[in-house]
Amino acid sequence: MKRSSIRAIMIVMFVVCGLFVTAHAQDKPDDEGKLTMPWDEFKRLVNLDEDEIVISMETFQKLLAQTGARTTPPHTMKNGNVVLTREEFKKLVDQMKPPVATDAIPPFDHLITKAVYSGTMKKNSTVFTAVFNVHVLKNDAYVKVPILPMRVALADMKVGDEQALVVVENGYHNIVLPEAGEYAVTASYSVKSSLEKGPHKIDLAIQQTPITLLTLEMPLKNIDVEIPQAQQVLTSKKDDTTVVSAVIGQGSSISVRWRKEVAVAERIPAKIYSEVHHLISIEDDALRTKSDINYTIHHSEIDAVRLVIPEDLNVLTVSGEGVGEWQETSQADQRILLIPFTYGKKGTATVSVTTETAFLESGITNSFSGIRTLDTVRETGFIGIELATSAEVVVTESDGLEKVVIQKLPRPLVNKSVRPLIMGFKYLKHPYSLVFDIKKHEKIAVPVATINSASVVTLFTEDGKIVHRLVYQVKNGAKQFLEIQLPEKADVWSVFVGSRPVESSMNGKGKLLVPLIRSRSVDNRLDAFPVEVIYCTVQNRFSPFGSQVSALPSADLMTSQLIWSVYLPNDYSYVYFKSTLEKEEIIRGVNVFSGARRQFDQDAMKELSVGDKKSLDEMQKAYRGVAYGSQFRNVPMGEAQLTDQMNAELEFGGRLEALAGVETPHVLISGGAVTTGVLPIQIRVPTGGQVYRFAKTIIRPDDPLEFSVVYTRLWILSLLKWVVVALVALIVYLNRKRLGKIGRSSVNRLNDIAGWVRRHESVIKRYAQSVMTPFVLFGLVVVFWNLSGHLTVLFFFLFWLSLVYQTIRLWKKRAQVRAASKSPAGEHGGTQQ
């Protein structure tokens, strides 16, 4: 046999032995049959000189499992065996990990599974012997197990037959156990009790265990024993001793109470009291009453109760704990409602009865006399009235009732009402009655849907096409369609609701019907969802000068606020805008010589990603000319609204391209043509031009939304400016002599004024230097504030000049004083030298 084969067999034997030991480590707890060796020595052993290692397929698979390799190393097959190179085999061996012993960690250090308390009562104390089954789970450590509270007078404690090691810690008597295992712990202790003095009870502190048993011998006879914590109590009598056995539920204490047995008295009839809470709900068609009858039953149990029902009252439901199937009978011309119980009732019981009384004709009085309990000693009750309709309710008459404020009604009755109570009454006995006068009024319809905000972007092309994109933020409670009155010959390109394409249609009146979804409720408020409509119209193309008109379609919902942005071609100057909406400040007047323009910069727009929401600082890069923001006098527009509108402007063109070719439901367009996509062909609408904005708040469906603009070509406006300049120059030239005379006259007038100033220079200087001059001028400003705006401005200007003059004069005077104070000192010093 070759030397390489011998070494291969040895290696396979070592590998198989290692796998066998690892696989069967849990089956053989002892050390017999194990082959152990240092891990480093085993790795040195397999460091062979041969280039190929041959092992069986089974051994190869076990080796892979031992190493945890996820990928099979390169190998070849020879006669059913696996052939590995020395390097690949060495890699597998290096990946083998020695088995790690994993000892399970118990979830608890110890458990007390059962406790049995056995006690014997003496004259002034009770001696208890408690036996606990304790399981210690923690290995190789001392464990302290709490057994009894520290306040217990402990007499002895043993573990099995040996004395226990007891320590007091954390308020408990603890026993110390040295190792894992099951132990029986017996504790003897005493608890104070008295057979003669009251109160007749024993309070016993216990350890919480899954199984708790109690046995107590009491040297008493003819007693009734009560243990509230016990699920089962058995008593037996032996001579003059009563033995109590109980199974205790989960808890930390046991309370044993006893009293002398009471001779069973002759059963007397039950005595019943009742308090009735009536909640009267006035609705559109009837008076609905929910009556809670609270019974208090003394002496004996009862099996049923009876009620007297008025003739005009219909019983709807009867409910309550232990209430059986109710029956209605007639007795002595009275309607009797019999309500049985499924078991005998004693103490307290509540029966709920729901009734209704149909309304009489509007304007005719309706009465309520309520139900009456039978077989009761006394019946009292309260009545609360709530209004669940828009009708007007007036109590015209009340008999046997006392009106009370709502706050004095029982709290269960007030809490039972969903709406605030409008009236409250109290009664002490029957009969009683309430007479209502209910007047129904015509109800006012309120909107079930509104448009919270609307964003519109409109693009004018020079050849007369107008593309509108309408985005309505709708809050809908129950409306089925949004009706939009589109202009004639309008081509609808897309309709989206909640970011999803929907099927839309045209009704007989030419209105686009957009199916709506219902708004989600967020914090008890309806959430808004977007409705987007894109359509196109055609009108006259732009000429060298003229006007253009555009109008928005009316929706059949009230709109809280609308912002409308309009793209107009760049090669024109827009002289005057007229609109039913409010215009932004830059286009309020005539725009002839100011040249106010806000131009969309397509090159800057390419640097912005259209799909993302951008900040104002980023979006302003896409506008040139006047400020990118809009100012409105009467429509407040916050930064968030302006940001959203500018985003809508910037993504207008990209939105049209994104919709091209999207498979969507059928959309009906003008002329009855139907397409199977939002845009059946790719339509590119370049977004560019001058951007102007309009806004309006609180828009009703019939409010017109339109604007018109007078425009002209830019070269025409430039020519007009040069013509004006030339006319002014011509007028100046033709009137040069007259203007010369006016100039010379003005110079003479100025010379006269200058002469007058020189003649009165001393007087003017005296008043100017007076300290009182600023105060006098400020007083004149106050006097003429409401009389003359021009004089107010003049006096305020003179006051400002006087204040500046006095300040400079005071500063110069102080500088002279400082210079004078330094001069004598310098001269004196020079003389001394």
Side-chain angles (χ1 to χ4, degrees), residues 220-224 237 240-242 259-262:
L220 299 171
K221 61 180 181 178
N222 300 327
I223 59 172
D224 289 331
K237 296 181 175 27
D240 293 337
T241 302
T242 301
R259 63 177 181 272
K260 292 184 179 180
E261 289 183 351
V262 180

Side-chain angles (χ1 to χ4, degrees), residues 4 15 43 87 96 137 170 325 438 517 570 611 685 790 792 797:
S4 60
V15 173
K43 290 200 298 183
E87 289 78 12
M96 292 178 63
L137 306 178
N170 298 328
E325 185 176 355
I438 301 173
I517 60 177
N570 277 325
V685 182
H790 297 289
T792 300
F797 178 71

Side-chain angles (χ1 to χ4, degrees), residues 489-511:
K489 298 182 180 180
D491 292 332
V492 179
W493 288 358
S494 72
V495 180
F496 275 69
V497 176
S499 302
R500 292 180 177 272
V502 296
E503 295 182 359
S504 58
S505 58
M506 290 284 187
N507 64 6
K509 298 181 180 179
K511 293 184 178 181

Side-chain angles (χ1 to χ4, degrees), residues 37 260 289 291 332 478 532 539 589:
M37 63 185 306
K260 292 184 179 180
T289 307
S291 304
E532 179 188 29
Q539 60 185 33

Side-chain angles (χ1 to χ4, degrees), residues 739-755 758:
L739 293 175
K741 291 181 180 180
I742 294 174
R744 289 191 293 273
S745 176
S746 300
V747 170
N748 294 331
R749 184 69 58 85
L750 292 175
N751 291 332
D752 294 339
I753 294 174
R758 285 193 295 270

Side-chain angles (χ1 to χ4, degrees), residues 267-274 294-306 321-322 339-351 374-376:
R267 181 176 179 180
I268 61 176
K271 187 173 288 187
I272 307 173
Y273 298 85
S274 64
N294 302 307
Y295 289 99
T296 303
I297 307 163
H298 297 293
H299 305 316
S300 302
E301 295 181 349
I302 60 174
D303 298 326
V305 292
R306 297 190 302 161
E321 183 180 355
I339 305 174
F341 297 126
T342 57
Y343 57 91
K345 291 279 189 177
K346 187 180 179 181
T348 60
T350 300
V351 176
L374 292 178
D375 308 322
T376 55

